[in-house]
Amino acid sequence: IVPAGGTVLEVAPGPGFLSIELAQRGLDVQAVDISKTFIEIARKNAADANAGVVFMHGNAAELPVRKESVDFVVCRAAFKNFTEPVKAMREMLRVLKPGGTALLIDMRRDVSVSELRKYVNGLGVSWFSRKFMMMTFRGMLIKRAYPLEEIRRMATEAEWKDVRIETTPVGFAAWVRQS
């Protein structure tokens, strides 16, 4: 998906672990987060790992990145928190080079409680951790997530052509390629 030495943009990297891992694999990595605190944490983590990642402050709906400048855009576990999700999707497409790919991964609201419980029980964590995770998923995260049909609608509105959406036990992965 990403050519050797290619450019990657991570949208909403949080503490920056994925961006750091990608940079350590020889990719040119930039990351944009709306949280100044996360940017500071990510910069420290990258420095500690001796990884050359450029962390920038910015909004996913107005990425501070040039048009057609990256080979791959990735956003994990943050989409449900965006205030302007369709604009964010358009921005991900805007910054992709022709032939570039964007990948959006998050939870989906239409996950059943039984599927969620099965997923959490399969993680191999303690009883307390399972209870806490179920409470967190059901009480906060799932409520913020979008159902699959809404994700499809937003992708269409954002002009994601030939989008491929795969479901996971509790989430989705949406792929689009820039023409």
Side-chain angles (χ1 to χ4, degrees):
I1 294 175
V2 184
T7 56
V8 175
L9 172 67
E10 184 176 11
V11 178
F17 299 126
L18 177 61
S19 289
I20 292 165
E21 179 71 25
L22 294 172
Q24 290 174 330
R25 292 173 183 251
L27 298 169
D28 177 16
V29 183
Q30 306 170 54
V32 175
D33 204 297
I34 199 162
S35 166
K36 290 180 180 178
T37 301
F38 267 138
I39 292 298
E40 289 173 20
I41 292 168
R43 284 178 178 156
K44 182 185 181 316
N45 289 339
D48 291 348
N50 198 29
V53 180
V54 176
F55 290 100
M56 299 173 280
H57 180 254
N59 188 324
E62 294 181 46
L63 293 169
V65 178
R66 285 187 344 267
K67 180 179 179 178
E68 298 181 355
S69 63
V70 298
D71 296 297
F72 185 71
V73 176
V74 61
C75 178
R76 299 173 310 125
F79 185 70
K80 66 186 158 301
N81 302 315
F82 294 168
T83 57
E84 298 176 285
V86 173
K87 282 186 177 181
M89 291 174 93
R90 279 192 191 119
E91 281 293 282
M92 291 176 204
L93 200 57
R94 178 188 68 80
V95 302
L96 281 175
K97 293 177 183 176
T101 302
L103 171 59
L104 179 58
I105 303 168
D106 212 328
M107 300 183 76
R108 54 189 168 87
R109 187 182 307 153
D110 49 357
V111 172
S112 70
V113 173
S114 63
E115 279 296 312
L116 188 58
R117 186 171 285 113
K118 182 178 169 183
Y119 172 77
V120 170
N121 288 342
L123 294 176
V125 297
S126 71
W127 175 87
F128 178 79
S129 293
R130 287 193 311 270
K131 293 298 180 194
F132 183 76
M133 290 172 86
M134 282 299 293
M135 184 178 67
T136 302
F137 279 134
R138 290 182 67 200
M140 293 185 297
L141 299 177
I142 295 289
K143 288 180 179 180
R144 295 190 66 101
Y146 298 101
L148 203 51
E149 285 310 310
E150 182 70 4
I151 295 159
R152 284 190 177 101
R153 184 200 61 75
M154 287 188 282
T156 299
E157 189 177 334
E159 299 178 17
W160 279 31
K161 308 267 190 277
D162 300 319
V163 65
R164 184 177 88 228
I165 300 177
E166 302 167 355
T167 59
T168 65
V170 297
F172 72 94
W175 298 82
V176 67
R177 190 167 184 89
Q178 178 66 287
S179 51

